[in-house]
Structure formats: structure tokens, C-alpha cells
Amino acid sequence: MSDFDLERFLPYLLNQAAEATSRSFNDIYRKAYGMTRTQWRVLAHLGRFGALTARQICDRTATEKTKVSRAVSSLEIEGWLARSPSPHDGRAEILTLTPEGQGVYADLGQQAKRYDAALRAELGPELTTELDGLLRRLIAKGGTDGAAQD
Amino acid sequence: MSDFDLERFLPYLLNQAAEATSRSFNDIYRKAYGMTRTQWRVLAHLGRFGALTARQICDRTATEKTKVSRAVSSLEIEGWLARSPSPHDGRAEILTLTPEGQGVYADLGQQAKRYDAALRAELGPELTTELDGLLRRLIAKGGTDGAAQD
DNA sequence: GATAGATAGTTGCATTTGCAACCAAGTCAA
DNA sequence: TTGACTTGGTTGCAAATGCAACTATCTATC
């Protein structure tokens, strides 16, 4: 008997906090645009950084390539994303948002900013910057391997 | 264009930190015992708190009841969990770990404790308690609604 | 005590995921 | 240039998940 307490386990706490804080925002992009979380991430990254390849998105978001691949397909089908061949690498494709996709990004980005501000307001400015720092340290430490499961 | 930056979005940061920190521990219970995350959670709760109903586990872990239901079935099939009828409520079942299940809990619990200690050691004691507090506030605030999405 | 909700838990089905295998293009060395 | 290896991306299949519908029991209230 190890008397291990899951409720004090840092990965568990982080996961619970992640789920608790993302719950209602999930509903927003899911109900308004029928988007999955991966789709939202891909769209947000392209909206923010412009043209990227799928691989770059994988690296930046630590997401499996199959997940990104499928998210890209569906975003393309929705008409929010366009592919063009990379001039430097015949295997890669440059991904960009269409004007419609940029509209979606603008809408959801606004809502996300408000949502984030509300969350941070509850903790206060000093604590949230502290929290950011802690989370980044944990993320950095986790390494750049595979991806996630929920 | 909202210039929203996903990398500063608290739910995203939390999720990334959760994934980064749980990645390698996932491998442990997955490879050693073929367990899924939900199964591990159910087992850990029963190991720690003794007899619980599925509903109590749902509430404590903010997990959907279907997920818990299936995890309970598989743990039972593995021989790590036993059900007995609740004396008070004909619908509910009291769940407990078998001796074998307790052995698995003891093993994984030990490893989890070491894993957790290593994580916390990197941040130092004051920061980890601070982090705990912040996470608990975020979890509490998230409400007791549904469950998770991934 | 009968009837209208609530609640514990399971099941079916569609969607999402993870992993391994795969294809095509790039790299590097001999 | 050819052959071994890496890398960007897709696909197939098995497993995990989410949601709605369902059964069975419980709790009211009349």
C-alpha cells in the first residue's frame, strides 16, 4: 500500500485545471464552427503566424502529425485553409488561411482573448505571470517527443 | 485580425504542461499494465479511498460516467476490481480493488510518487506549493459540470 | 400506493485518436 | 548515379471517446 494520492499528483492536477478552464471555450468553437480542438489549434497558429507547413505546426504545438494532417484536411474542406506547394521542398506544403478562415480566426481570437482575460482576472496579474512561468518551465522540461492523449 | 496568440492562452498552456508532464508516466502504466488513463485514475482512487461507487469516482475526477463504466469493466476483467451490490441503493455498486489490484496500485503508486517528486524538485518546494494552489483555484472555478474532451 | 421525475449505470453508434505502415521527395556518401 | 537513410505527409485499422438513448431503481408528491 503506497498511500499515493492522485489528487496531489501534479500531472493530474494540471490535466484537471486544463480541462476545467477549457471546457466552456471548447463549446464555443465546437458549436459555432463545428471545430475540434486540433482544428482550432491549427487555425489559431496559422492565423497568428501566417504561412506554415504542417510539420512546423506539429513542432510548435507538440501535436502528432496525423492529427494535424486530418485537421488540415477538414479545415481545407470547410474552405478556411489553402495549401500551396513549397518552393523549397517538394514534399512540404505551405498552409495559409483563406479570407474566410481569417474571419473565423478573428472571431474566435477575440472571444479567446476575452475568455483568457476573465480567467486571469480571477487570479490577479502577479499570480498569472507567475503561473505562466511555471507552466512554461514544465512544458520545456517535458521534451519535444510525441504528442498527447487528451 | 485579432492578433490572438495561442501560446499565451491559459487553457492551452495548461494543456501543454499537462501533456508534457504526464507523457512518460502514461507510458509506464500503459506498457506495464496495458492500462488507459481512465483506468489508472479509477484504480488510483479506489486504491486510495477504498470502497466507492462509480458515481463517486465520476464526481471526484470530473470524468464522464461512460468512461468510468468502461474502465470499471476492464479493470474487473483484469481481475483488479470487484463489484458488490450497495446495501443502500439497488442501482449502485460498491467498487473495491482485489488484492491483485492493490498490488498494481502499490506498484504504480510508488512510481507515481517518485515521478511527482522529481517534477516538483525541478521547481523547488515553494513554487510547487504555489502552483498547487493556483491549479486548485482554477479547478474549483471550472465548476462541476460535465467532463472532458480529450 | 401510483405515477412523475431523478439518478446509477450500460450500450450503440458516430467521431476522434494512436500507431504502424506506407509513399514520395530530399540528403548524403561512395 | 546509385543506393541507404531521413523526412513531410497520408492512410488503414484498432482502440478510446462523446453523446444520446435505454433499463432499473429510487424519491417524491398526490
Side-chain angles (χ1 to χ4, degrees):
Chain A
M1 181 65 143
S2 103
D3 95 329
F4 163 71
D5 192 346
L6 187 64
E7 283 164 356
R8 286 178 168 66
F9 191 44
L10 197 47
Y12 177 75
L13 283 172
L14 286 163
N15 184 63
Q16 294 290 92
E19 289 179 357
T21 56
S22 60
R23 207 114 53 199
S24 39
F25 190 70
N26 274 344
D27 283 353
I28 294 179
Y29 56 68
R30 222 170 45 76
K31 288 182 180 149
Y33 296 102
M35 258 192 277
T36 180
R37 172 139 66 182
T38 311
Q39 285 172 30
W40 153 240
R41 284 188 185 173
V42 169
L43 182 113
H45 266 263
L46 290 173
R48 169 75 177 162
F49 298 109
L52 295 171
T53 66
R55 176 106 280 273
Q56 289 174 307
I57 296 175
C58 289
D59 292 344
R60 285 183 151 285
T61 60
T63 309
E64 267 224 342
K65 55 185 189 165
T66 62
K67 245 164 125 179
V68 171
S69 171
R70 294 192 241 247
V72 165
S73 301
S74 12
L75 290 173
E76 188 185 28
I77 289 172
E78 293 294 331
W80 295 330
L81 175 152
R83 315 181 194 223
S84 58
S86 163
H88 304 304
D89 189 333
R91 298 164 300 178
E93 290 175 310
I94 309 288
L95 308 172
T96 48
L97 295 186
T98 62
E100 295 77 25
Q102 288 177 15
V104 176
Y105 167 67
D107 177 22
L108 288 178
Q110 284 297 344
Q111 299 197 55
K113 276 162 85 172
R114 281 200 296 276
Y115 188 84
D116 195 58
L119 274 178
R120 289 168 186 278
E122 307 222 0
L123 301 179
E126 341 70 27
L127 286 179
T128 53
T129 44
E130 180 139 356
L131 179 58
D132 280 346
L134 289 167
L135 294 177
R136 282 182 211 286
R137 282 174 66 182
L138 291 170
I139 293 169
K141 131 123 270 285
T144 328
D145 41 340
Q149 57 291 76
D150 90 1
Chain B
M1 182 62 145
S2 99
D3 93 330
F4 163 72
D5 192 347
L6 187 65
E7 283 164 357
R8 284 178 169 65
F9 191 43
L10 196 48
Y12 177 74
L13 283 172
L14 286 163
N15 183 65
Q16 294 288 94
E19 290 179 355
T21 56
S22 60
R23 206 117 51 203
S24 36
F25 191 69
N26 275 343
D27 283 354
I28 293 179
Y29 56 68
R30 223 171 44 76
K31 289 183 180 147
Y33 296 101
M35 258 192 276
T36 179
R37 172 140 68 181
T38 312
Q39 286 172 29
W40 153 240
R41 285 188 185 173
V42 169
L43 182 114
H45 267 263
L46 289 174
R48 169 76 176 160
F49 298 109
L52 295 171
T53 66
R55 175 106 283 272
Q56 289 173 308
I57 297 175
C58 289
D59 292 344
R60 285 183 152 286
T61 60
T63 309
E64 268 223 342
K65 55 184 186 166
T66 61
K67 244 163 125 179
V68 171
S69 171
R70 292 193 242 247
V72 165
S73 301
S74 11
L75 290 173
E76 188 184 27
I77 290 174
E78 293 294 332
W80 295 328
L81 175 153
R83 315 181 195 223
S84 58
S86 164
H88 306 304
D89 188 334
R91 300 164 298 178
E93 292 175 310
I94 310 289
L95 308 172
T96 48
L97 294 187
T98 62
E100 294 77 25
Q102 288 177 16
V104 176
Y105 167 68
D107 176 23
L108 288 177
Q110 284 298 344
Q111 299 197 54
K113 277 163 84 171
R114 280 200 296 275
Y115 187 84
D116 195 57
L119 274 178
R120 290 170 185 277
E122 307 222 359
L123 301 179
E126 341 71 28
L127 286 180
T128 53
T129 45
E130 181 140 357
L131 179 57
D132 281 344
L134 288 167
L135 294 178
R136 281 181 211 287
R137 283 174 67 183
L138 290 170
I139 293 170
K141 145 110 283 268
T144 328
D145 41 339
Q149 57 293 77
D150 93 359

